């Protein structure tokens, strides 16, 4: 399979990144972060999450974030997607009220993580998505699907490609246009991703898959590179490597967007993103959070 010439970067920092920050980030700062990402050329941003605010208080203001984004004329670009996580019909309805135009549902390939993260079995989670999918279909809203723990689970250990395949087929069958493969705890290696993709691509085409690599074990870029060799052209990443999941202890952030863009540029793969501006965004959000960036490229190019 030929390596893609262009990659769509799905920026998850404002959601996956900020959901895991203990220090509160104001709504205005979230809106500024998203606007700065757009100014850097990012065209797909997961901007918030309509989950139970008691479960993830950091995302409780997502409706206000979307209100702030909608009232910003510079952000009403036809080429820009601002998406949100929705775990159930209630979350979907909240997202629609906030004017969200694309949503994502999230399941797990392992029972342990499903129970901790969304308080139900895998089968129950898929059943919960059904009314949401129907409402999305009725309203013409595109739905992305996530699968967490595609290689390993913090509670159940190793996860097989067969487990991932079952969930991915269910998500496609119910209408997700794309499934993002989440290595939630960052344990996967290139070998794991090869075995996973060899299996999934028996039933699915590469253009319907994305990869979502947390970088806990420092394997994310290698895993993304391997996925590119399988033709995967959508890569999730988080500016400054922010992130983690409150229900996956010790899991660090997603691979840093700056590091992904730097690698892709070196491979001659276009993203439409201005790397220098993106590094600036990573520096600003790290300064705001009062912590060093998790991006190697950001550190190497740091001006402070
Ligand atoms: P539950 O307790 O099973 O749900 O939670 P429930 O239907 O029994 O409702 C319990 C209460 O929550 C009720 O309120 C509902 O109204 C409320 P009460 O009557 O007690 O006052 N509720 C809601 N409120 C607002 N918005 C909603 C909503 N739904 C119910 N949408 C639920 C199930 C999924 C809602 C809960 O477990 C939850 O919100 N979990 C959050 C999980 C989460 O956000 N995790 C992080 C994101 S996933 C991730 O990071 C992984 C990813 O990055 C990929 C990867 O890396 O692998 C995507
Ligand atoms: Mg994640």
């Amino acid at each position: 399979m030929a390596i893609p010439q262009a990659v769509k970067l799905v920026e998850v920092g404002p959601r996956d990144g900020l959901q895991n920050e203990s220090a509160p980030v104001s709504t205005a700062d979230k809106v500024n972060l998203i606007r700065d990402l757009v100014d850097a050329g990012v065209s797909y941003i997961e901007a918030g999450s309509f989950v139970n605010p008691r479960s993830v208080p950091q995302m409780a203001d997502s409706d206000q974030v979307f209100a702030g984004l909608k009232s910003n004329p510079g952000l009403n670009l036809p080429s820009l997607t601002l998406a949100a996580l929705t775990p159930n019909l209630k979350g979907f309805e909240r997202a629609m009220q906030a004017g969200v135009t694309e949503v994502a549902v999230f399941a797990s390939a392992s029972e342990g993580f499903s129970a901790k993260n969304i308080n139900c079995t895998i089968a129950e989670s898929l059943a919960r998505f059904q009314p949401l999918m129907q409402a999305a279909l009725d309203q013409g809203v595109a739905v992305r699907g996530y699968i967490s723990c595609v290689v390993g689970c913090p509670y159940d250990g190793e996860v097989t490609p067969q487990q991932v395949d079952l969930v991915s087929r269910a998500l496609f069958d119910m209408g997700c246009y794309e499934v993002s493969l989440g290595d939630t705890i960052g344990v996967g290696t290139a070998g794991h991703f090869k075995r996973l993709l060899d299996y999934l691509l028996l039933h699915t085409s590469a253009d319907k898959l994305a990869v979502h690599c947390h970088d806990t074990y420092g394997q994310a870029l290698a895993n993304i590179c391997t996925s590119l060799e399988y033709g995967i052209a959508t890569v999730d990443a988080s500016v400054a490597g922010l992130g983690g999941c409150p229900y996956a202890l010790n899991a660090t952030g997603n691979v840093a967007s700056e590091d992904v863009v730097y690698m892709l540029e070196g491979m001659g793969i276009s993203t439409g993103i201005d790397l220098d501006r993106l590094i600036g965004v990573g520096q600003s959000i790290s300064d705001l959070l009062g912590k060093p960036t998790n991006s190697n490229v950001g550190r190497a190019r740091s001006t402070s």
Side-chain angles (χ1 to χ4, degrees), residues 15-16 19 50 52 54 88 90 94 117 119 148 184:
R15 192 279 304 169
D16 202 335
Q19 78 180 6
F50 293 88
N52 183 348
R54 286 199 299 276
N88 51 21
K90 178 165 186 163
R94 286 178 59 213
N117 193 39
N119 198 26
S148 289
T184 316

Side-chain angles (χ1 to χ4, degrees), residues 15-16 19 46 49-56 85 87-92 94 106 113 116-120 128 146-149 182-184 212 214 244-247 254:
R15 192 279 304 169
D16 202 335
Q19 78 180 6
E46 206 168 70
S49 171
F50 293 88
V51 299
N52 183 348
R54 286 199 299 276
S55 304
V56 185
L85 279 193
N88 51 21
L89 187 59
K90 178 165 186 163
F92 180 80
R94 286 178 59 213
F106 49 108
F113 187 74
K116 294 277 191 227
N117 193 39
I118 48 176
N119 198 26
C120 60
R128 271 184 198 174
Y146 278 104
I147 306 177
S148 289
C149 299
D183 184 6
T184 316
H212 177 104
H214 286 260
C245 175
Y247 299 96
N254 286 88

Side-chain angles (χ1 to χ4, degrees), residues 109 147 150 159-168 181 196 200:
I147 306 177
V150 297
V159 172
T160 64
Q162 287 80 357
Q163 284 171 268
V164 181
D165 187 52
L166 282 176
V167 181
S168 96
L181 303 168
L196 177 62
L200 293 183

